[in-house]
Amino acid sequence: MEDAEECITGLCLGLGMGGYVPKKGKQKENRPVLDLAFELCPKGEAINLNHDKVESTDSDNSNTNNNNKGCRKKLRLSKDQSSMLENSFKLHTTLNPVQKQALADQLNLKTRQVEVWFQNRRARTKLKQTEVDREWLKKQCQNLSDENKRLKKELQELRALKVGPSSPLCIQLSKTATLTMCSSCDKLVKLNEGNNNIGLEGTN
DNA sequence: TTTGTCAAGCTGAAAA
DNA sequence: TTTTCAGCTTGACAAA
């Protein structure tokens, strides 16, 4: 089995039958290649050596074209395999070696395949989350922008009013305190009895 | 034909 | 040094 796999891999890589072309023209040795999950297919049919037969597709012309050179069929995980992986992912998004091996045995896959599935699954999750975050930030930005516009408008309206003790802007807070706007610094000011002014907050 | 999805390839960084 | 992960890329395949 492993000899056959090496042979197939060699064919696929050597003949350029798809797959990543290493920049340095060399494959890392401790990285097992999994393109070998399929035998060289006779005609439009690939056999998943790890699991079950993969359906052939009539539209798969490239397959027949590549018959003589060997072919690389895409592995499709079965529904059962996918759902079990999903369930496992819900429990823990990363696996320790023992869990990985157990899951691989259970699914009749290689540990590397399980590992790759989890890596890709995490990437997809992150991508989705990034998209969600982006939408949320966009919304927040819009809200802040609207609020900023509203406040600017309000400020303009306030400035348009003549500020002073007798102006409409001068709000009676209590018998002893009055809220007014300082004409020099544009700040809301609380006027207490005896002229103890307390600045409240800047308005610009 | 184009586009989207997904398994699997590689690289580089971090941790043990 | 080895292992594991994230990130990016490739190629097969299906659907539009």
Side-chain angles (χ1 to χ4, degrees):
Chain A
M1 168 72 171
E2 281 187 53
D3 288 343
E5 287 175 353
E6 275 176 28
C7 178
I8 297 160
T9 307
L11 269 172
C12 284
L13 292 175
L15 295 170
M17 303 306 298
Y20 184 79
V21 179
K23 284 171 188 167
K24 290 170 187 170
K26 184 182 169 187
Q27 177 145 5
K28 227 178 179 178
E29 283 174 17
N30 60 345
R31 292 276 181 182
V33 176
L34 287 179
D35 260 355
L36 31 92
F38 300 93
E39 284 179 345
L40 294 178
C41 40
K43 188 165 185 177
E45 181 185 77
I47 296 168
N48 180 344
L49 295 177
N50 298 318
H51 197 56
D52 40 27
K53 221 172 180 183
V54 173
E55 287 180 41
S56 65
T57 49
D58 293 336
S59 60
D60 191 10
N61 297 327
S62 60
N63 226 11
T64 38
N65 290 343
N66 290 336
N67 270 345
N68 298 332
K69 309 173 196 168
C71 61
R72 179 191 178 190
K73 287 284 286 183
K74 184 184 172 103
L75 165 70
R76 279 276 167 184
L77 298 173
S78 70
K79 276 185 181 176
D80 285 348
Q81 286 171 321
S82 293
S83 65
M84 283 191 76
L85 286 164
E86 279 293 343
N87 289 338
S88 184
F89 187 79
K90 279 176 194 165
L91 295 176
H92 21 64
T93 58
T94 53
L95 297 175
N96 62 39
V98 176
Q99 289 172 319
K100 202 185 295 175
Q101 185 62 59
L103 196 56
D105 289 344
Q106 202 179 350
L107 297 171
N108 204 15
L109 292 172
K110 294 183 178 178
T111 52
R112 172 69 180 153
Q113 283 177 299
V114 173
E115 185 182 308
V116 165
W117 188 90
F118 268 75
Q119 281 173 5
N120 284 323
R121 186 65 179 77
R122 281 193 294 272
R124 285 195 290 274
T125 302
K126 190 172 184 183
L127 204 66
K128 248 183 192 172
Q129 189 55 49
T130 303
E131 188 58 32
V132 168
D133 290 348
R134 200 179 72 88
E135 285 304 314
W136 185 83
L137 286 170
K138 210 169 144 188
K139 223 173 198 175
Q140 291 299 308
C141 185
Q142 187 59 50
N143 287 345
L144 287 171
S145 181
D146 291 347
E147 176 71 356
N148 189 33
K149 262 186 204 168
R150 189 187 66 76
L151 289 171
K152 274 184 176 170
K153 194 180 168 193
E154 200 175 307
L155 178 63
Q156 226 170 10
E157 286 169 3
L158 289 171
R159 277 180 173 156
L161 297 168
K162 192 73 187 167
V163 177
S166 59
S167 79
L169 187 58
C170 189
I171 303 163
Q172 192 70 38
L173 292 178
S174 68
K175 284 184 180 174
T176 57
T178 303
L179 187 63
T180 188
M181 180 173 267
C182 173
S183 55
S184 59
C185 64
D186 278 349
K187 284 187 176 176
L188 281 176
V189 176
K190 190 173 158 191
L191 292 174
N192 287 320
E193 201 176 63
N195 266 350
N196 287 336
N197 294 357
I198 303 167
L200 288 180
E201 57 181 2
T203 52
N204 38 335

